[in-house]
Amino acid sequence: MDRYLVLCSRVVTCDPACSSPDNRLGVLHDAGVLVEADRIAAVGSRAQLLAQARDARVLDDSAGRVMTPGLVDAHTHLAWAGSRHDEYVLRMQGAGYEAIAAAGGGIVSSMRAVRAASQWALTAAMRSRLRRMASLGVTTCEIKSGYGLDLPSERKQLRAIAEAASDTGLPRVIPTWLALHALPPEGQDDRAAWVRRVAERWVDEIAGDGLAKYVDAYIDRSAFSVEEAKPVFERARAARLGVRAHIGQFADVGGAELAASVGAASVDHLEHVAASGLEALAKSGTRAVLLPVASFTLRQAPPPIQAMRDAGVPIVVASDANPGTAPTESLALALAFALHTYGLTPEECLLGATREAAASLGLEGTCGRLAAGLSADFVVWDLPHERAILQPWGSPMTHRVVGRGRLLHSAPVS
Ligand code: NIG
Ligand code: FE
């Protein structure tokens, strides 16, 4: 069995067992992790680990470097094809996202590219994206479908996601079926019938395939209503699938209350959400997934962060990687915006991309912290302090990225 010790100047465990009010991230100094196969066998000081594992290989990364749990990106649309560079330029010159979508661009233009792509091409694109994300410190990634918009194409996306997920040399993948993302052209004539088909037929078909852990819906003024999403979510829960939801990106139409009522794992975006919605989320234990790259691209004001804190809604930060509103693969960039523009504290940013993100994906017992018994998912950064991760202008600053005990990325030797 492969057994090795990785030592670092600072080890940011993100583990409540190591934290205190003035050490919220559970930072240990001159410490490390002992890895056995794909698990963390122990976390502790250098002296303690060297005494415990005399026969283990030692990787001494301690020269001024910091170690964190592998980053967890809890909201991405990585299974896309094509490119929307022309739409991006139009938007930068003043065209609105909703207006472009109404004219047949936006999500529906990615739909055309996904419908035309083979499953193999989607998997290949995702593999490249996941490889680059690993080089930026990500060891777990949620991926949504939602650009197929008919049953065969949604299934093609989910099968492509499953294929990418089977590669243990890439980040761990959590698949989500984005059931209601946009109305496809064939649904325009009879919207109610199309939505009914999704709720009454597709949910059970997709649940039967076993290729999705969560069902998602985009609930907003130019997307789907609470009344349309409700039967989809209820059917998903009955089929033992979890729920995530895009809500309040442009307007609060009551999505938070609906998501809370079905025990959703997360609600995402939340630029617009009322106090009553936040209260409902806090009660149901639903996490808020903030997507600051999307609101930067769309030049939107930040979500009501202080109201979220006051209500006690746990905060996650994710990249929203997609070809329209968040053209990035970098979760660290999202963290930089969360700090810069949303006013999150460094601790909220880092926990939001590790422990809280993992919990929002049902992975609290698997990853998101450095603790004995968890999966060996960690990053050694070529940076002296975890706060430097939040200033990612420029090159990827990872030195060594390990996922499930395997080296996913290492910096080129200079
Ligand atoms: O999370 N808001 C809806 N969905 C995506 C955007 C998808 C797209 O534009 O392709 C989002 O921002
Ligand atoms: Fe999204």
Side-chain angles (χ1 to χ4, degrees):
M1 182 177 55
D2 198 19
R3 193 158 189 261
Y4 61 93
L5 201 55
V6 186
L7 299 170
C8 239
S9 303
R10 285 177 75 81
V11 173
V12 181
T13 66
C14 296
D15 189 15
C18 302
S19 348
S20 59
D22 49 2
N23 180 13
R24 280 197 58 210
L25 296 176
V27 177
L28 307 175
H29 297 272
D30 201 14
V33 293
L34 172 63
V35 178
E36 283 178 1
D38 59 352
R39 308 256 120 210
I40 297 174
V43 179
S45 71
R46 166 190 291 265
Q48 196 183 319
L49 292 174
L50 285 172
Q52 182 181 342
R54 284 179 210 287
D55 55 329
R57 206 151 45 92
V58 178
L59 301 172
D60 195 339
D61 284 337
S62 56
R65 295 197 178 101
V66 63
M67 177 192 292
T68 66
L71 301 185
V72 177
D73 197 336
H75 181 136
T76 84
H77 300 258
L78 280 202
W80 83 79
S83 173
R84 286 166 37 200
H85 48 272
D86 289 335
E87 173 195 316
Y88 183 82
V89 173
L90 285 178
R91 254 187 298 117
M92 292 310 109
Q93 292 170 349
Y97 179 70
E98 289 170 299
I100 287 175
I107 295 167
V108 170
S109 90
S110 292
M111 175 210 76
R112 287 189 288 272
V114 162
R115 287 186 180 180
S118 66
Q119 183 185 317
W120 177 86
L122 293 176
T123 304
M126 247 180 300
R127 283 204 175 113
S128 307
R129 291 170 188 145
L130 286 165
R131 208 167 294 126
R132 289 190 293 270
M133 288 170 78
S135 77
L136 299 168
V138 168
T139 56
T140 299
C141 183
E142 185 259 13
I143 305 182
K144 301 174 197 301
S145 65
Y147 290 125
L149 307 181
D150 62 23
L151 188 56
S153 311
E154 287 293 315
R155 278 189 157 138
K156 177 173 67 180
Q157 277 197 294
L158 287 168
R159 280 198 298 267
I161 294 169
E163 220 177 324
S166 69
D167 188 336
T168 53
L170 293 174
R172 171 191 296 103
V173 168
I174 304 298
T176 295
W177 174 43
L178 179 39
L180 298 178
H181 199 193
L183 195 66
E186 66 272 15
Q188 301 289 343
D189 283 350
D190 193 345
R191 181 183 176 100
W194 188 85
V195 174
R196 213 175 317 116
R197 201 157 48 240
V198 174
E200 293 174 9
R201 297 232 322 267
W202 297 7
V203 177
D204 292 347
E205 298 254 10
I206 296 280
D209 292 346
L211 296 179
K213 180 171 180 181
Y214 293 99
V215 171
D216 196 333
Y218 182 17
I219 303 168
D220 217 311
R221 67 177 182 204
S222 51
F224 294 90
S225 68
V226 161
E227 292 69 31
E228 289 171 325
K230 191 167 187 260
V232 173
F233 285 165
E234 287 175 349
R235 196 83 168 213
R237 297 303 275 152
R240 312 178 81 80
L241 293 168
V243 167
R244 320 182 78 76
H246 286 67
I247 71 154
Q249 186 179 22
F250 295 99
D252 181 3
V253 297
E257 287 85 348
L258 171 66
S261 75
V262 296
S266 79
V267 286
D268 308 35
H269 283 294
L270 290 161
E271 281 80 357
H272 303 270
V273 61
S276 57
L278 292 175
E279 238 169 72
L281 295 173
K283 270 206 198 101
S284 64
T286 304
R287 285 177 165 73
V289 178
L290 306 183
L291 306 170
V293 177
S295 60
F296 171 80
T297 309
L298 297 173
R299 300 194 173 98
Q300 292 174 315
I305 303 293
Q306 192 53 45
M308 286 178 193
R309 291 184 184 125
D310 294 344
V313 181
I315 291 175
V316 175
V317 183
S319 72
D320 196 17
N322 76 67
T325 58
T328 184
E329 293 166 347
S330 174
L331 178 52
L333 181 67
L335 297 180
F337 285 149
L339 181 79
H340 178 282
T341 308
Y342 280 11
L344 259 56
T345 66
E347 291 75 21
E348 284 173 323
C349 291
L350 291 159
L351 292 174
T354 54
R355 189 171 89 207
E356 293 302 330
S360 86
L361 294 168
L363 299 174
E364 47 278 86
T366 304
C367 61
R369 291 175 287 136
L370 300 177
L374 266 59
S375 177
D377 295 10
F378 59 88
V379 182
V380 177
W381 301 85
D382 234 334
L383 296 167
H385 196 283
E386 61 280 12
R387 291 188 171 186
I389 299 166
L390 310 174
Q391 318 168 291
W393 315 123
S395 353
M397 293 306 287
T398 53
H399 174 69
R400 192 190 300 282
V401 182
V402 173
R404 292 175 279 183
R406 289 185 58 171
L407 187 64
L408 303 186
H409 173 79
S410 67
V413 183
S414 51

